[in-house]
Amino acid sequence: MRTTRQSVRKNIENPPKPQHVVIVGAGITGLSTAYYLATKYNIRSVLVDWSGTIAPGASGKAAGFLARHWSDGTLTEELSHRSFYLHQELADAFGADSIQYRRLTCVAVNQSTKMKKPKRITESIKEVKLEWLDRESNELFIRSVQDMGNETNIAQVTPKLLCEKLWEEVQRRGGVLVKGRVMNAVHDDETGNFIGAKLDDGRTVRGDALLYACGPWSANIMYGIKGHAVTIPTERTLSQVVFFYNDDDDDDDGGTECEVYVRPNNTAFCTALAGELKLVTEEPGKETVEADVIDGVLEAVRGCSGTEGLLCGDPVLQSACYQPVTSDFLPVIGALSKEEAGGENCYMASGNNCWGILWGPATGECIADLIATGTTRLNIRDFNPSRFPDLKPVPQNN
Ligand SMILES: Cc1cc2nc3c(=O)[nH]c(=O)nc-3n(C[C@H](O)[C@H](O)[C@H](O)COP(=O)(O)OP(=O)(O)OC[C@H]3O[C@@H](n4cnc5c(N)ncnc54)[C@H](O)[C@@H]3O)c2cc1C
């Protein structure tokens, strides 16, 4: 009798650490969480993904651009700094080449359209190092160049390769992947504790804690912004990311705006024309690539100074995917209340918008710490899911 009372009290004061975590979504957020649960706490995960594959959505199709300092002075500064550090740590552990991780430079180029000489040109053109713009033929069309970062604060990784490496490590430590669409969480009637995730085919995946890491499909308060990209071969290996833009209201054809992320394998991931914020009804991994948007991206890329000589050949890849966003554009990272989740031991990590690859590792580390110890090294108060009073996980609106 005495022993039982003592152990009951111990459990209330110090609840046992979960041993099997069900993670809904095998994107970078879910995989990073599984990785830190396994490596820091020896806790196993069952990843459940609708597609049955690793990173079928944005986590396998994003650019992989990582900037340490771009959110300085905002609520996500700490998340960016910690995650930039963790990316380097992961590159050291996995081997930088195996995930195409490297440090590089970045510039923003304000340019006029090809046919017009800009009305103003700043001295910055001469001051900032341009790695791959041919000054002689393009100077006339460039108004200004802004230094956006260098090897101390800019890096790049190929997201799909990173996700596969995280998965390899998780699998080696006993993690498994189940194909299935999670419909809801099941809780014990008496204790209210999470006991399993119900799939659309009626199966239940059992566990003692649950993380919703389903990107834009995570909750009714989540939206997606669709992005299209083309990957084009480059003439040589480049190491400067370029953001082209045009701030001239007089340019009647709207000018050109696009982002060119050169990769170490002599390709450039080019994106432009981000879509509107909307509820996502397309299935993960089956996002339609819209031909007219791809044509628009190609036109934007070809309209940019210096791209004609360096980006050679036809695109080797065309893709479309959604970045997950909330109405306040802040992440959702934390424990769900009993009312939101229908019971205890449920968590959510999503809404990492256009920085989900950068923030993936630190988000995963936070959730792993929270599940295993109840605390986090980062302050995640501003990302608390309960700021959305009507939050409901995994809405079935597809
Ligand atoms: C074009 C583009 C370029 C980008 N470039 C960058 C960049 O350079 N740097 C950067 O930091 N970020 C970038 N991002 C953002 C980044 O890609 C995302 O924020 C990040 O991938 C989100 O990861 P996630 O794991 O949270 O979600 P996702 O990758 O969307 O993964 C969610 C997973 O959940 C699964 N799922 C959904 N619902 C269910 C369910 N009910 N049951 C089971 N499984 C389910 C899906 O199949 C999917 O695999 C870019 C985004 C886009 C669109």
Side-chain angles (χ1 to χ4, degrees), residues 24-30 48-51 56-59 62-65 180-182 213-217 225 227 269 271 284 321-324 352-358 394:
V24 192
I28 188 143
T29 309
V48 186
D49 200 281
W50 191 339
S51 71
S59 298
F65 177 72
R181 181 183 181 189
V182 170
C214 330
W217 299 272
I225 296 180
F269 176 102
T271 182
C321 58
Y322 291 91
Q323 45 165 294
N352 275 354
N353 59 56
C354 63
W355 289 114
I357 303 301
L358 172 64
V394 288

Side-chain angles (χ1 to χ4, degrees), residues 61-63 226-232 259 261 263 268-273 289-290 293-295 297-298 301 315-321:
K61 297 175 184 168
K226 194 169 186 177
H228 281 73
V230 290
T231 302
I232 305 175
E259 300 168 11
Y261 302 92
R263 286 201 166 133
F269 176 102
C270 308
T271 182
L273 312 169
V289 177
E290 290 153 42
V293 185
I294 290 290
D295 288 347
V297 175
L298 282 169
V301 174
V316 288
L317 191 71
Q318 304 179 351
S319 59
C321 58

